[in-house]
Amino acid sequence: HLIPLLFAKHKALKQAMKRREENYNRALDFIENPPKGVRVIEICPNTLYSGRTTKDISLLNDDYKEGLRAGRRAIDRWKETR
C-alpha cells in the first residue's frame, strides 16, 4: 500500500485514508437503515459529468449546478411531506 508512504508525516490523514472505505460503508448503512424515529433524505444528482480526477472547471461547475438542483428538489419533496 502507498498510503503509509504518502502520508508518513500526516498521521491523522493516514488514518482517515485507511478507514475511508469503512466509514463510507457505515454511512451507506446508516442511510439505508436509519435508527428508529429518524428519517433520512438522500440527496444526489441524477447525472455527474465529471470523474474522480476531473480538472475541467466547466464539468465541475455542471456537477455543482446539478447538485444544487437535486438539493432544491429534495427540499421541495420534504416540504410536501411536512
Side-chain angles (χ1 to χ4, degrees), residues 21-39:
E21 183 178 352
E22 175 188 342
N23 290 336
Y24 176 77
N25 288 332
R26 285 177 55 208
L28 289 180
D29 185 55
F30 181 88
I31 290 168
E32 293 170 5
N33 306 291
K36 188 175 182 174
V38 174
R39 182 172 164 223

Side-chain angles (χ1 to χ4, degrees), residues 17-60:
M17 293 297 290
K18 283 179 150 181
R19 294 186 182 144
R20 72 186 185 282
E21 183 178 352
E22 175 188 342
N23 290 336
Y24 176 77
N25 288 332
R26 285 177 55 208
L28 289 180
D29 185 55
F30 181 88
I31 290 168
E32 293 170 5
N33 306 291
K36 188 175 182 174
V38 174
R39 182 172 164 223
V40 174
I41 300 172
E42 184 177 7
I43 303 170
C44 58
N46 294 327
T47 303
L48 289 177
Y49 303 98
S50 63
R52 287 176 38 163
T53 59
T54 300
K55 294 180 183 178
D56 183 328
I57 194 71
S58 65
L59 293 177
L60 294 169

